[in-house]
Amino acid sequence: MLTSLTLLVPPAPSSPLLSVNCLSHFPFSPSISAAASASDFLRLVSRRLALATKTQSVTTMTTQEEECMGSVKAQLAKLFEASLKVTVPNEPYVEPLIAACTGNFGDYQCNNAMGLWSKIKGKGTQFRGPPAVGEAIKNNLPTSEMIESCSVAGPGFVNVVLSKNWMAKSIQKMLIEGIDSWAPMPPVKTAVVDFSSPNIAKEMHVGHLRSTIIGDTLARMLEFSKVKVLRRNHVGDWGTQFGMLIEFLFEKFPNFEDATETAIGDLQAFYKASKQRFDSDPVFKERAQQAVVLLQGGEEKYRRAWAQICEISRTEFYKVYQRLGVHLEEKGESFYNPYIPGVIEGLTKQGLVEESQGARVIFIEGVNIPLIVVKSDGGFNYASTDLAALWYRLNEEKAEWIIYVTDVGQQQHFDMVFKAAKRAGWLPQGDNSYPKASHVGFGLVLGEDGKRFRTRNTEVVRLVDLLDEARSRSKAALIERGKGEEWTEEEIESTADAVGYGAVKYADLKNNRLTNYTFNFDQMLNDKGNTAVYLLYAHARICSIIRRSGKDVDELMNKGTLVLEHKDERDLGLHLLQFAEVVEEACTNLLPNVLCDYLYNLSEVFSKFYSNPECKVIGSDNETSRLLLCEVTAVVMRKCFNLLGITAIYKI
């Protein structure tokens, strides 16, 4: 029961990148009234959550109270919303369907006419088909400085051409106020992103790469959107394997507290050796099983040994997170252990938990296997922990959106956990309401042979080695290009970090996360095509253009005026203005590749503008305006890099 448990918090490591809230849980009464049962407590807090939580529609990430001024789509939606109310006053709220145009008819398009016609035909309407509805929508639009012209095409599509003067003013306004003014405004205040989640006493390998990189990017996009993000590292730090690890530690190091990372050596080899001993030596196996009992019972010596093993693992994890620039707060399986009995009791009292073949399970509609929450031997499992974690995140951390980043193989497991939570009333039934939980699945990392990425001896590649190899190759390329003679050692090292680690991240993120992708150093470090190297160099070139001009950009921002007279200038301006809605789309659908596509296309649109002789920058009559256009492109590129966890470079 919750009332008989306590939380032991080992000392946190000194790393600013990895704050730790890891725990072991042993008997003593926490701050829950002893008079109240755990299930009563859980029920009380669940009721409080239900009363406090507003179920919100997520049709759009823009709240009704606040308009995202950076998003062109959001601003157009406000105008078309007013028009739709006048056009079909007898229809209930009609959500404006606004999309960027892909053809030459305009910049944006309102696509409501056909859907409206299907609703109003036969009701004595004055309209005679979708084109007439489209014309009415166009004619009822409020006057706005952002619209230059409108036209109706096909079955009522209302095409909008933006005013180039409004576009230029909006871009310059962002340049002065900062790109945060273009941040989306999702209808949530607090989100949990659960990612990375390696196992204690095991090396982080390439299989953890995608979860760490994707999760970090999702967290960054939400943080940019003014959401409080709880970055959770749900490490595997509890379970029966710790009995064998502790006994093996005692055997190899009688003074176990002197056992350091250096003394133990390869933790993965240590784990394998202990497992081999466990499988082959019955006496050792019995001692290991007893060690689990002593650990879970709170025996001081075993708790200290457990904490020692966790700390050595944590040091290894930190090496990876430091290279990737990823910040996480560790709350492993052990953190949620005290909450499991109360959560299971509460679900049982609700009638959700049933007996089945000696185990206690929750049956999920549409799934032919039950969700086992207590094993037949009375032990808990992943489902027990995940339900307790979900309960805690909803009730204690007040999260409105909980995002789990794991491989696609765990999709069914999380789907069952979420459905159980809906049955319990923790989550609303609709998938488009808050609070909600989402599983972000991803595919495998493959080698060039099309199989799971491994080294020659069939071992999975250590992630730290992979990152170091990318960095080493990046540095070698810089030396080969003669930068060793031109740059300082610090510039060489920092650029090698940015390009090497950035190349690995971008090679992953540019793919739809649901697909497998092939890991290839030569491709990801290529300075041509859709790679981080090409994009980082493109940004550095823009910075070089501005430096060569000799002008003070801050002064130009406040005194100069940006104009979009040439078609290529306008095309670039339009692409820049779409940044806010792209981040919104990437956040809503949890797809980082949407942002990567935007970034690559931005570099291509800029290249077209800059390479056009008619758009000469330095020394032209429009130098000030075009330098400002260069600067805003660099600002948006840097924010894209930042959201992707990539460090920008400023010289090549």
Side-chain angles (χ1 to χ4, degrees):
M1 300 296 295
L2 282 173
T3 49
S4 64
L5 295 164
T6 186
L7 288 76
L8 171 73
V9 184
S14 58
S15 162
L17 292 175
L18 182 64
S19 56
V20 180
N21 195 349
C22 48
L23 358 63
S24 156
H25 314 285
F26 302 99
F28 119 109
S29 177
S31 59
I32 301 173
S33 169
S37 72
S39 60
D40 289 339
F41 172 71
L42 291 166
R43 190 162 50 251
L44 175 65
V45 181
S46 294
R47 188 180 300 121
R48 185 184 66 203
L49 175 73
L51 290 171
T53 302
K54 294 185 293 181
T55 300
Q56 301 176 1
S57 169
V58 291
T59 307
T60 173
M61 291 193 71
T62 305
T63 62
Q64 293 181 359
E65 293 79 14
E66 294 184 89
E67 182 180 353
C68 175
M69 294 307 296
S71 171
V72 176
K73 282 177 68 173
Q75 294 178 70
L76 286 174
K78 289 289 184 183
L79 296 174
F80 277 97
E81 181 181 352
S83 172
L84 288 164
K85 286 179 180 177
V86 176
T87 304
V88 283
N90 296 325
E91 288 296 311
Y93 174 72
V94 179
E95 180 192 352
L97 303 177
I98 310 299
C101 285
T102 55
N104 298 318
F105 297 105
D107 301 319
Y108 285 85
Q109 192 175 76
C110 174
N111 300 324
N112 285 89
M114 289 182 68
L116 274 179
W117 171 248
S118 67
K119 290 182 178 180
I120 63 178
K121 65 180 179 181
K123 295 182 179 179
T125 176
Q126 59 177 313
F127 303 114
R128 293 294 178 265
V133 177
E135 285 288 346
I137 294 172
K138 183 196 77 169
N139 294 335
N140 289 326
L141 270 174
T143 302
S144 171
E145 65 170 341
M146 73 183 295
I147 296 177
E148 181 176 298
S149 64
C150 285
S151 61
V152 178
F157 300 129
V158 182
N159 295 308
V160 175
V161 176
L162 298 176
S163 160
K164 61 185 178 183
N165 292 332
W166 176 86
M167 292 169 62
K169 283 198 297 184
S170 298
I171 293 169
Q172 188 159 358
K173 185 170 184 284
M174 182 281 286
L175 205 50
I176 294 169
E177 295 182 354
I179 198 164
D180 284 355
S181 63
W182 278 6
M185 293 182 181
V188 293
K189 294 181 179 179
T190 304
V192 167
V193 182
D194 179 328
F195 66 107
S196 193
S197 308
N199 290 311
I200 293 293
K202 291 185 179 180
E203 291 278 6
M204 286 185 74
H205 54 74
V206 72
H208 294 107
L209 180 69
R210 301 204 76 179
S211 177
T212 305
I213 291 174
I214 293 169
D216 181 56
T217 291
L218 296 177
R220 286 170 180 267
M221 289 194 295
L222 287 166
E223 286 160 350
F224 174 61
S225 305
K226 311 296 192 300
V227 176
K228 177 185 177 183
V229 178
L230 306 178
R231 294 161 161 261
R232 295 291 178 251
N233 200 4
H234 191 92
V235 298
D237 66 349
W238 202 244
T240 56
Q241 75 272 22
F242 280 95
M244 84 182 178
L245 288 167
I246 289 169
E247 279 303 316
F248 199 65
L249 182 69
F250 290 163
E251 191 174 275
K252 293 294 181 183
F253 301 93
N255 298 319
F256 70 90
E257 289 179 328
D258 296 330
T260 62
E261 177 191 0
T262 304
I264 289 178
D266 186 342
L267 199 59
Q268 182 80 1
F270 184 85
Y271 182 93
K272 286 184 177 179
S274 66
K275 182 69 167 67
Q276 187 177 16
R277 187 72 189 283
F278 182 86
D279 293 337
S280 61
D281 187 337
V283 176
F284 178 84
K285 182 176 182 178
E286 186 175 343
R287 290 206 314 270
Q289 290 171 336
Q290 182 60 28
V292 175
V293 176
L294 293 169
L295 172 64
Q296 294 180 344
E299 183 69 30
E300 179 67 21
K301 176 182 176 183
Y302 289 81
R303 282 163 41 195
R304 293 203 313 271
W306 170 79
Q308 181 85 344
I309 292 168
C310 289
E311 189 59 34
I312 293 170
S313 277
R314 203 169 289 121
T315 301
E316 286 298 308
F317 300 160
Y318 169 62
K319 292 176 182 177
V320 172
Y321 298 140
Q322 184 182 44
R323 285 162 172 77
L324 292 173
V326 171
H327 166 75
L328 285 149
E329 182 180 2
E330 183 182 308
K331 281 192 175 178
E333 293 173 359
S334 62
F335 179 86
Y336 304 104
N337 228 40
Y339 298 94
I340 294 175
V343 168
I344 300 301
E345 182 182 343
L347 293 171
T348 302
K349 287 190 174 182
Q350 286 183 270
L352 271 67
V353 180
E354 304 177 40
E355 296 286 336
S356 177
Q357 299 179 13
R360 299 175 67 191
V361 306
I362 298 175
F363 287 99
I364 306 297
E365 186 177 354
V367 184
N368 57 11
I369 57 171
L371 184 69
I372 300 173
V373 294
V374 182
K375 297 184 292 185
S376 56
D377 63 2
F380 300 128
N381 59 7
Y382 288 126
S384 322
T385 305
D386 286 333
L387 282 168
L390 180 57
W391 180 91
Y392 183 89
R393 289 162 176 175
L394 287 167
N395 291 280
E396 296 300 315
E397 296 180 321
K398 300 292 185 288
E400 296 152 284
W401 196 2
I402 304 159
I403 299 164
Y404 297 80
V405 187
T406 75
D407 64 88
V408 291
Q410 297 187 47
Q411 176 68 54
Q412 184 184 56
H413 165 76
F414 281 106
D415 185 56
M416 293 173 71
V417 169
F418 300 160
K419 286 180 177 176
K422 289 179 180 181
R423 282 192 63 192
W426 300 355
L427 298 172
Q429 290 300 318
D431 291 333
N432 292 330
S433 301
Y434 291 108
K436 73 171 181 175
S438 302
H439 177 250
V440 175
F442 55 82
L444 298 173
V445 181
L446 305 178
E448 293 181 51
D449 58 0
K451 298 178 181 178
R452 187 190 293 265
F453 192 45
R454 299 177 186 272
T455 57
R456 290 179 182 175
N457 64 0
T458 73
E459 292 293 334
V460 177
V461 180
R462 294 173 72 239
L463 186 47
V464 71
D465 292 339
L466 201 70
L467 295 170
D468 287 348
E469 175 70 11
R471 186 194 183 283
S472 176
R473 290 187 182 215
S474 173
K475 182 177 179 179
L478 291 171
I479 301 298
E480 187 178 329
R481 291 173 50 221
K483 300 304 176 184
E485 299 173 3
E486 300 175 21
W487 293 1
T488 65
E489 184 63 23
E490 183 181 353
E491 287 174 328
I492 290 283
E493 296 297 333
S494 62
T495 303
D497 283 351
V499 175
Y501 302 146
V504 174
K505 290 185 176 187
Y506 190 80
D508 185 318
L509 295 169
K510 73 177 182 179
N511 299 284
N512 185 305
R513 56 176 170 76
L514 293 171
T515 63
N516 300 336
Y517 89 95
T518 301
F519 193 98
N520 184 299
F521 279 121
D522 291 336
Q523 289 179 6
M524 66 177 58
L525 291 167
N526 195 330
D527 60 3
K528 296 179 177 62
N530 189 9
T531 67
V533 184
Y534 168 78
L535 293 167
L536 286 166
Y537 286 2
H539 171 264
R541 288 188 189 98
I542 296 172
C543 295
S544 174
I545 294 166
I546 297 169
R547 284 196 301 270
R548 289 202 317 270
S549 75
K551 299 296 175 64
D552 184 332
V553 173
D554 289 336
E555 185 177 334
L556 295 181
M557 272 192 272
N558 292 292
K559 294 183 179 179
T561 302
L562 192 151
V563 295
L564 303 172
E565 294 298 335
H566 192 278
K567 180 183 182 302
D568 287 350
E569 291 175 320
R570 191 185 186 284
D571 289 346
L572 178 57
L574 178 61
H575 198 81
L576 290 165
L577 282 167
Q578 291 171 339
F579 168 77
E581 60 211 52
V582 167
V583 177
E584 181 178 313
E585 179 188 349
C587 265
T588 303
N589 298 318
L590 303 171
L591 290 172
N593 64 292
V594 170
L595 183 61
C596 293
D597 291 342
Y598 171 84
L599 175 58
Y600 178 67
N601 290 333
L602 175 59
S603 71
E604 295 289 278
V605 175
F606 178 85
S607 179
K608 182 184 176 187
F609 151 75
Y610 186 69
S611 61
N612 189 331
E614 297 178 6
C615 294
K616 180 182 176 182
V617 178
I618 299 175
S620 71
D621 293 340
N622 289 323
E623 180 183 76
T624 295
S625 173
R626 288 171 181 165
L627 282 172
L628 289 174
L629 205 48
C630 289
E631 175 65 12
V632 74
T633 302
V635 167
V636 172
M637 289 187 78
R638 282 196 289 276
K639 178 49 69 174
C640 289
F641 287 140
N642 174 263
L643 297 178
L644 297 171
I646 296 171
T647 302
I649 61 173
Y650 293 80
K651 59 188 289 188
I652 55 174

